């Protein structure tokens, strides 16, 4: 329950930005969290998980609370599912590995996503054909002002593509303290996305398993996404933008190579990485701020970039995509 002052946030964000926090502490339970919210109620507050979806553009003049709520347990089961509750401060990838070890299926396609379990509902994390909402049962969240616990069911969370009620209507109102997952006893494999099938073939897997799917996903991810331990980044900096079919056909006439896939609504989701690459940004570097050479959607810090240098680069990318394609990108990363 110790509060430190004037602390560098560099070890606590995957971009490796050296912003400072006026105050910094960690909490291991809802009770500790509640105590901080009471004693430090006048200060601006930022709850931090793994810091892998955040860009600090300035020092944080308030209290940064690092989430350390741990504990994973099976709380229920029926014929088809196990219900597994995880403390929100658990590491996401370790949670996925534990599920695989126990043969609890559903999160294997989400292997190797950095960060904590508690942030996973924030933007409904997704990868390789699966989103958090597909395995979500409920979560518990602590109201910052009322100091009471709430339970949110799947319907309550308003999940969408990289969206939830916690990013919009309830922004900065709740701290997620635990998440309960509904995982399958018998897996339903999801291998149709991207290069999973090819990677499984390359691995010469004799029998398909959730472990094999995770291994394929891990290999594909490692081949194109920079490891934050080596190059600072926060994954995709922008979302893949959605346009209607009419707009898509007009763009396709002018840019026949444009990549998009049709959504159930009939709208088209464009590959933002392709748009950015076409504007010439892929592999671009100015100082220590850059656009990753293998994935243009990922902005990187090669060492000592300042948060505002990364932000300014994102703004230049935004403007050039708007100019060339008339498409407005939306940032996925949380800007502080
Ligand atoms: P943080 O960065 O610590 O926090 C993110 C936001 O959530 C902040 O606004 C924070 O205040 C808030 N928050 C955090 N915890 C809580 C809590 N308990 N209660 C309330 N608010 C909270 N994302 C994907 O969806 N798919 C991917 O494939 C993917 N790949 C990535 C690859 C790399 C290399 C990197 C670096 C990132 C990637 N991401 C991906 C983004 C990131 O991993 C996820 O968004 C992850 O869920 C962030 O978790 P975190 O604990 O690091 O969140
Ligand atoms: N592409 C390019 N140039 C690039 C990058 C991508 O042309 O520089 C093309 C690819 O060739 C491919 C398409 O764009 O045809 C999509 O690329 P990819 O499969 O790499 O996925 P993405 O759409 O760029 C999304 C998520 C990732 C997630 C992967 C896999 C978003 C914003 N990003 O990336 O999530 O891991 O799919 O499912 O939806 C994250 O959110 O941080 C993240 C990494």
């Amino acid at each position: 329950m110790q509060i430190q002052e004037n602390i560098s946030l560099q070890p606590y964000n995957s971009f490796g930005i050296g912003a400072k926090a006026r105050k910094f502490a960690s909490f291991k339970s809802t009770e500790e969290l509640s105590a901080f919210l009471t004693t430090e109620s006048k200060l601006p507050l930022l709850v931090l998980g793994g810091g892998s979806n955040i860009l600090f553009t300035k020092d944080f003049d308030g209290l940064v609370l690092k989430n350390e709520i741990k504990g994973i347990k099976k709380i229920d089961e029926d014929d088809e599912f196990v219900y597994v509750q995880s403390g929100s401060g658990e590491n996401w990838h370790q949670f996925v590995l534990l599920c695989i070890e126990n043969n609890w299926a559903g999160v294997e396609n989400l292997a190797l996503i950095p960060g904590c379990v508690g942030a996973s509902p924030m933007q409904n994390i997704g990868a390789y054909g699966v989103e958090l909402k597909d395995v979500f049962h409920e979560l518990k969240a602590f109201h910052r002002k009322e100091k009471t616990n709430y339970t949110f069911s799947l319907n309550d969370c308003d999940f969408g593509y990289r969206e939830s009620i916690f990013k919009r209507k309830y922004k900065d109102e709740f701290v997620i303290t635990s998440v309960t997952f509904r995982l399958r006893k018998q897996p339903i494999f999801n291998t149709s996305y991207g290069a999973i099938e090819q990677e499984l073939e390359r691995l010469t897997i004799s029998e398909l398993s959730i472990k094999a799917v995770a291994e394929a996903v891990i290999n594909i991810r490692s081949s194109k996404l920079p490891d934050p331990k080596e190059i600072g980044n926060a994954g995709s900096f922008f979302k893949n933008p959605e346009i209607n079919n009419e707009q898509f056909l007009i763009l396709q006439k002018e840019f026949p190579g444009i990549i998009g896939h049709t959504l159930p609504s009939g709208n088209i989701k464009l590959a933002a990485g392709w748009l950015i690459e076409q504007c010439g940004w892929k592999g671009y570097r100015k100082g220590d701020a850059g656009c990753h050479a293998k994935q243009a959607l990922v902005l990187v810090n090669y060492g000592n970039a300042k948060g505002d240098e990364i932000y300014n680069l994102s703004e230049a990318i935004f403007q050039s995509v708007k100019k060339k394609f008339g498409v407005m990108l939306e940032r996925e990363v949380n800007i502080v």
Side-chain angles (χ1 to χ4, degrees), residues 17-231:
I17 302 295
K20 285 191 170 156
R22 184 164 138 204
K23 293 190 175 189
F24 182 93
S26 57
F27 59 97
K28 292 192 166 61
S29 63
T30 309
E31 292 70 34
E32 283 189 7
L33 169 67
S34 178
F36 283 126
L37 294 175
T38 307
T39 56
E40 306 296 320
S41 62
K42 295 215 165 58
L43 283 181
L45 175 79
L46 177 72
V47 177
L48 207 53
S52 63
N53 204 24
I54 207 156
L55 176 68
F56 290 104
T57 55
K58 52 184 178 305
D59 292 342
F60 188 72
D61 190 18
L63 172 65
V64 172
L65 280 181
K66 170 94 176 73
N67 183 358
E68 302 279 359
I69 299 180
K70 303 284 187 197
I72 300 175
K73 56 179 187 279
K74 184 169 93 177
I75 55 168
D76 203 357
E77 66 182 302
D78 54 31
D79 289 349
E80 245 182 301
F81 299 103
V82 288
Y83 295 82
V84 180
Q85 187 179 59
S86 170
S88 55
E90 290 283 353
N91 174 274
W92 174 263
H93 181 60
Q94 294 307 318
F95 169 72
V96 171
L97 294 181
L98 187 101
C99 292
I100 291 167
E101 232 172 72
N102 285 282
N103 253 318
W104 299 331
V107 283
E108 55 280 1
N109 292 50
L110 301 174
L112 212 63
I113 297 181
C116 289
V117 167
S120 63
M122 291 299 293
Q123 68 158 12
N124 178 28
I125 57 168
Y128 295 90
V130 173
E131 286 184 324
L132 177 95
K133 69 172 175 51
D134 304 327
V135 289
F136 179 89
H137 178 59
E138 65 179 29
L139 64 76
K140 296 212 182 318
F142 190 71
H143 196 281
R144 284 164 51 163
K145 288 221 168 75
E146 291 173 16
K147 313 241 174 13
T148 43
N149 288 300
Y150 282 76
T151 300
F152 288 79
S153 69
L154 180 63
N155 280 342
D156 297 331
C157 293
D158 241 343
F159 288 128
Y161 164 63
R162 297 296 192 271
E163 277 300 344
S164 75
I165 201 156
F166 304 102
K167 270 183 89 173
R168 299 272 173 199
K169 188 172 164 196
Y170 293 151
K171 190 171 162 46
D172 294 335
E173 279 193 43
F174 287 95
V175 179
I176 295 167
T177 52
S178 75
V179 184
T180 302
F181 300 86
R182 197 180 73 139
L183 301 164
R184 286 190 178 276
K185 290 181 168 176
Q186 293 300 323
I188 297 181
F189 296 110
N190 190 335
T191 59
S192 57
Y193 190 96
I196 298 184
E197 299 274 5
Q198 284 144 271
E199 185 55 22
L200 285 168
E201 251 171 60
R202 202 190 64 81
L203 289 168
T204 56
I205 300 292
S206 55
E207 201 185 333
L208 194 56
S209 64
I210 54 175
K211 192 169 178 214
V213 173
E215 195 181 340
V217 167
I218 288 169
N219 288 352
I220 300 166
R221 292 180 67 94
S222 307
S223 72
K224 51 180 157 185
L225 291 169
D227 179 350
K229 284 196 206 97
E230 286 156 24
I231 306 175

Side-chain angles (χ1 to χ4, degrees), residues 17 19 55-59 306-311 335-336:
I17 302 295
L55 176 68
F56 290 104
T57 55
K58 52 184 178 305
D59 292 342
K306 297 256 183 308
D308 57 1
E309 290 175 275
I310 305 273
Y311 185 83
I335 311 293
V336 175

Side-chain angles (χ1 to χ4, degrees), residues 290-302:
C291 179
H292 190 49
K294 292 186 193 160
Q295 226 300 2
L297 197 45
V298 178
L299 300 192
V300 292
N301 172 12
Y302 286 104

